[in-house]
Amino acid sequence: MIPRYPHYPRRRTLDLGGFWAFCHLGDAPPNEIDLDKIDWNDRMAVPGCFDTIHRYAGKRGIAAYHRQVSDLVPGDYRIIFYHVSHWCRVFINGSLLAEQTCGFTPFTVDFTVAEEESLDLVLLVDNRFDADRIPLHPSYADWYHHGGIAGDVVLRQLPETRIDELVLDTMDYQKRRVKVKISYAAVKMDRAPLKISCRGETLLAEDVSLEKGTGFLERVIQLTGKDLWSPESPALHKISVCLADDEVVERVGIRQVDADGKRIKINGQPVRLLGYNRHHIHPESGYAFSDAALMRDVSLIRQTGANFVRGSHYPQCQRFLELCDETGLCVWNEGVAWQQDDTQLTDEKYIAAQKAHLETMVRWSRNHPCVIMWGVLNEGASHLEVCRRAYETFLGTLRAADPSRPLTYASNHPMDDKCLDLADILSVNTYPGWYSAVLSDIPAALQKIIDHLTAVAPGKPVIMSEIGAGAVYGVRDPYEQKWSEEYQVRLLDTVIRWLYADDEKACGLAIWQFCDIRTSEDKAIGRPRAFNNKGIVDEYRRPKLAFDAVKRLFTQYGDGCPAASQSDPEI
Ligand code: ADA
């Protein structure tokens, strides 16, 4: 489903989803494809992942997609591609207009239609791995990299004077003051009316002078009496911003997130974050999720009393974030990365690509109140001094792009990490009782980490950002050995009770993981069925024994799942 916000009520909008012409071109070199000679011998659903269709399952290569759009009146247009995985080129009427080298973040293509004409749209989509061409997508990451036009494709006509970007930042949650930042384009107009309203109530109306070309406006609005956004009560408010004849409607959740001592606070109240790492993958649709599929995941997560999701290990889709906004699920949103080593973290090309990716992630997701923190570099080589500059660069990029949210990274080297001082929140991935040690060693192993963090980076919140055990769905074992559902329950029970039964040892926990996922071809060894089986539900979201066990524990030790969800039908 097309993300509903930001909404442009005055712009002609066309959903380009549907069944496109399709042809799998196999191992063709991207630069040697003649569009005119493609044999469009199949069809493919958009949004969707072609490699979830059996005849293309497991295939890596170039997939060509084609559709036409007719009856476009002359003017300027923008196509928004919400998720193409993971490399693609966009051709309009045979001309190459864009190349996207990283999936997981939306991108746009602007073009002008000179006269009444049909639009011929071709995408070449590549799900292969190529460290040089596609530096951010490593073949060794522990998830299956699906290919396809996995997100929505939306065509919008662009008014000459328009709002190109709208940012709504909570300035002061107690005084209900919100900063409105407007990036605009203006070709001919040098003055225009600006009006900001909330549900018909005019908050600001004035005539503004405009720079020719592009410019920036900033105002502060007062949302007196409006409810705050919190996990328990996720109030959202629709803000309409009109500039000249353009209008953008965006939602704002008035809230402030702080890393304050060893606690994370939302609107000044400490919050205990209990939840999961969630991969945005389903065996039937890959990275493409219907609203019903998103609703099922969020409903299951909330049913266990969780209030927190770490979007492992890439930026979350807009529609998922909209649902988390409405249901009060707090989200850790992170750039795409998985165990980058010193080779990559000292490579200028990788650093430039990751920096641009993080800026894009923030640009598309910063208006979602559910995003309470940004993360970088899952299990990167933060224990190597030579990689510190990369962490400084990436965390600095996030800080500059959005100073309103705390920053973190998940470290699997807590005892010799060299970058802990750069993060606002300390996050640790550790698997005692699974990859190392036995169940009875878990308390001592975790205590050792907590004591070390307290010694070297005192006074910061700590999140157990990954911990868990594998359990193959349906494997019940009176011996309760590893890979049984019983063992997974015992490990998670041991971990959660240690963290919270006596006192709070960490203010956040993200179990690895919510659902089982197919892993990459490189990782299949050591992964039964070539899946990462550490979900509390399997890949079809069938609950394991751990589902009810975690529900009991989160209910006992949690702040309570986001009880209220947005009840406002208009929102
Ligand atoms: C790491 C990694 C996860 C997953 C996990 C596991 O912590 O961050 O993506 O691979 O290990 O299941 O081993």
Side-chain angles (χ1 to χ4, degrees), residues 219-277:
R219 296 293 187 277
V220 173
I221 55 176
Q222 184 79 34
L223 291 171
T224 306
K226 299 293 186 197
D227 291 339
L228 299 178
W229 189 94
S230 70
E232 304 74 32
S233 176
L236 295 167
H237 309 291
K238 284 206 292 192
I239 303 296
S240 162
V241 180
C242 297
L243 180 68
D245 294 333
D246 197 20
E247 179 182 10
V248 183
V249 179
E250 177 63 292
R251 296 189 303 195
V252 66
I254 308 167
R255 64 109 186 87
Q256 179 176 313
V257 188
D258 297 295
D260 180 359
K262 295 185 77 68
R263 302 309 306 271
I264 293 172
K265 293 183 176 178
I266 297 179
N267 303 333
Q269 297 302 312
V271 60
R272 177 176 289 176
L273 298 171
L274 298 181
Y276 308 93
N277 288 270

Side-chain angles (χ1 to χ4, degrees), residues 160-336:
E160 216 172 54
T161 301
R162 63 176 179 267
I163 298 166
D164 269 339
E165 188 175 356
L166 175 63
V167 173
L168 300 173
D169 274 351
T170 299
M171 275 184 74
D172 182 326
Y173 71 93
Q174 289 169 312
K175 294 179 178 169
R176 306 306 194 263
R177 287 157 57 83
V178 170
K179 183 169 286 184
V180 180
K181 301 177 186 174
I182 300 164
S183 303
Y184 64 81
V187 179
K188 294 172 185 153
M189 296 179 86
D190 56 11
R191 292 199 67 75
L194 170 67
K195 181 179 173 187
I196 304 176
S197 59
C198 177
R199 293 218 170 160
E201 177 196 354
T202 298
L203 303 169
L204 177 149
E206 61 181 86
D207 221 41
V208 293
S209 60
L210 300 176
E211 305 286 328
K212 196 165 290 302
T214 58
F216 181 77
L217 293 167
E218 188 172 296
R219 296 293 187 277
V220 173
I221 55 176
Q222 184 79 34
L223 291 171
T224 306
K226 299 293 186 197
D227 291 339
L228 299 178
W229 189 94
S230 70
E232 304 74 32
S233 176
L236 295 167
H237 309 291
K238 284 206 292 192
I239 303 296
S240 162
V241 180
C242 297
L243 180 68
D245 294 333
D246 197 20
E247 179 182 10
V248 183
V249 179
E250 177 63 292
R251 296 189 303 195
V252 66
I254 308 167
R255 64 109 186 87
Q256 179 176 313
V257 188
D258 297 295
D260 180 359
K262 295 185 77 68
R263 302 309 306 271
I264 293 172
K265 293 183 176 178
I266 297 179
N267 303 333
Q269 297 302 312
V271 60
R272 177 176 289 176
L273 298 171
L274 298 181
Y276 308 93
N277 288 270
R278 174 184 176 269
H279 265 292
H280 192 75
I281 297 178
H282 192 282
E284 288 168 0
S285 53
Y287 295 135
F289 274 69
S290 65
D291 275 2
L294 291 175
M295 192 68 247
R296 177 203 49 224
D297 279 10
V298 167
S299 175
L300 281 168
I301 289 167
R302 294 176 70 228
Q303 196 179 330
T304 62
N307 61 359
F308 178 51
V309 171
R310 176 183 177 213
S312 52
H313 296 289
Y314 33 77
Q316 297 301 290
C317 91
Q318 295 302 305
R319 198 71 183 120
F320 176 71
L321 294 178
E322 286 180 351
L323 184 53
C324 292
D325 288 339
E326 295 177 23
T327 55
L329 264 188
C330 296
V331 176
W332 160 337
N333 212 16
E334 66 180 22
V336 60

Side-chain angles (χ1 to χ4, degrees), residues 140-143 277 279 310 312-313 334 337-339 378-379 410 412 429-431 434-435 465-467 512-513 517 519 523 527 532-534:
Y140 56 81
D142 188 7
W143 74 87
N277 288 270
H279 265 292
R310 176 183 177 213
S312 52
H313 296 289
E334 66 180 22
W338 199 88
Q339 296 187 359
N378 174 62
E379 299 191 344
N412 60 340
N429 295 355
T430 182
Y431 288 85
W434 184 254
Y435 290 118
S465 41
E466 286 186 34
I467 193 164
W512 186 272
Q513 61 179 327
I517 53 154
T519 189
K523 268 271 173 307
R527 292 266 189 275
N532 184 313
N533 299 280
K534 300 186 184 73

Side-chain angles (χ1 to χ4, degrees), residues 290-536:
S290 65
D291 275 2
L294 291 175
M295 192 68 247
R296 177 203 49 224
D297 279 10
V298 167
S299 175
L300 281 168
I301 289 167
R302 294 176 70 228
Q303 196 179 330
T304 62
N307 61 359
F308 178 51
V309 171
R310 176 183 177 213
S312 52
H313 296 289
Y314 33 77
Q316 297 301 290
C317 91
Q318 295 302 305
R319 198 71 183 120
F320 176 71
L321 294 178
E322 286 180 351
L323 184 53
C324 292
D325 288 339
E326 295 177 23
T327 55
L329 264 188
C330 296
V331 176
W332 160 337
N333 212 16
E334 66 180 22
V336 60
W338 199 88
Q339 296 187 359
Q340 266 62 32
D341 62 15
D342 49 350
T343 308
Q344 289 150 306
L345 297 183
T346 55
D347 173 71
E348 291 312 318
K349 185 167 186 174
Y350 178 86
I351 289 171
Q354 181 65 242
K355 190 171 180 298
H357 169 68
L358 292 168
E359 288 167 340
T360 305
M361 171 179 75
V362 172
R363 189 162 62 249
W364 280 91
S365 302
R366 62 178 303 162
N367 285 341
H368 291 287
C370 68
V371 176
I372 61 165
M373 64 180 86
W374 301 113
V376 298
L377 294 181
N378 174 62
E379 299 191 344
S382 53
H383 59 304
L384 301 178
E385 194 61 46
V386 73
C387 297
R388 182 178 166 86
R389 188 174 71 83
Y391 277 82
E392 287 170 342
T393 300
F394 300 147
L395 291 167
T397 297
L398 288 174
R399 186 90 64 201
D402 174 18
S404 76
R405 290 174 170 91
L407 307 179
T408 191
Y409 63 88
S411 171
N412 60 340
H413 319 281
M415 304 308 285
D416 56 355
D417 202 295
K418 300 287 190 302
C419 304
L420 296 173
D421 60 303
L422 302 174
D424 301 313
I425 298 168
L426 307 179
S427 298
V428 175
N429 295 355
T430 182
Y431 288 85
W434 184 254
Y435 290 118
S436 62
V438 294
L439 287 180
S440 57
D441 294 344
I442 289 176
L446 295 181
Q447 189 62 60
K448 186 179 171 191
I449 292 173
I450 295 293
D451 291 346
H452 176 73
L453 295 180
T454 304
V456 300
K460 288 191 175 182
V462 173
I463 292 179
M464 280 293 158
S465 41
E466 286 186 34
I467 193 164
V472 176
Y473 178 79
V475 171
R476 300 292 171 84
D477 175 10
Y479 291 80
E480 299 192 345
Q481 291 292 352
K482 287 183 176 176
W483 298 117
S484 71
E485 293 189 26
E486 290 88 349
Y487 186 85
Q488 185 184 39
V489 168
R490 290 173 62 203
L491 184 140
L492 293 174
D493 185 270
T494 304
V495 167
I496 297 170
R497 287 187 192 282
W498 183 81
L499 282 171
Y500 300 112
D502 305 327
D503 55 3
E504 179 175 273
K505 310 260 192 356
C507 69
L509 163 67
I511 291 171
W512 186 272
Q513 61 179 327
F514 165 63
C515 63
D516 293 350
I517 53 154
R518 178 180 296 277
T519 189
S520 66
E521 298 91 317
D522 287 14
K523 268 271 173 307
I525 295 297
R527 292 266 189 275
R529 354 182 261 141
F531 271 68
N532 184 313
N533 299 280
K534 300 186 184 73
I536 61 155

Side-chain angles (χ1 to χ4, degrees), residues 64-80:
Y65 288 77
H66 176 216
R67 73 154 287 169
Q68 288 197 323
V69 184
S70 47
D71 309 327
L72 289 183
V73 298
D76 294 334
Y77 290 84
R78 174 169 294 160
I79 301 182
I80 302 100

